Amino acid sequence: FDEQKDQVAVEQILRVVFLDPERPSPALEKLNRQLADADAALEARKKPVEDAGPKIIGEGLVIDEWKERRERYLAKQQGEVVVDSV
């Protein structure tokens, strides 16, 4: 049973309520509210999530700085004169 636990079927007894859309009733109003809430939740999930975290400015600059530091390190290893570009 452990091998197939992702293929489990769950039985539930459902209750069916027949509603006349032409006549207002408390059950119909409740259903309309639930549908409106579900639609609002769906729209909220469709919107892109705004990142509230810190924004990275000059993202490519980090890589450039790393390359420059690497070049300076390699130049020092080879005994060359290092000129700082900053």
Side-chain angles (χ1 to χ4, degrees):
F1 291 107
D2 288 337
E3 297 165 351
Q4 301 201 6
K5 63 182 172 184
D6 59 333
Q7 298 178 3
V8 174
V10 177
E11 290 186 32
Q12 283 187 321
I13 297 174
L14 301 177
R15 183 177 70 156
V16 178
V17 178
F18 293 97
L19 300 173
D20 183 5
E22 300 298 322
R23 291 189 352 203
S25 68
L28 183 61
E29 291 173 13
K30 179 180 177 183
L31 179 63
N32 285 334
R33 277 195 311 272
Q34 289 175 335
L35 289 173
D37 291 345
D39 286 341
L42 180 64
E43 288 300 319
R45 278 186 267 148
K46 284 183 180 179
K47 291 182 183 178
V49 178
E50 294 181 17
D51 186 17
K55 300 214 183 253
I56 299 173
I57 300 173
E59 184 175 334
L61 297 177
V62 173
I63 294 172
D64 293 340
E65 182 180 340
W66 180 82
K67 285 180 181 177
E68 287 179 16
R69 287 184 180 184
R70 183 173 179 267
E71 288 173 4
R72 283 185 288 206
Y73 174 76
L74 292 174
K76 284 181 184 178
Q77 293 290 324
Q78 295 175 359
E80 297 176 7
V81 177
V82 179
V83 177
D84 196 2
S85 63
V86 178

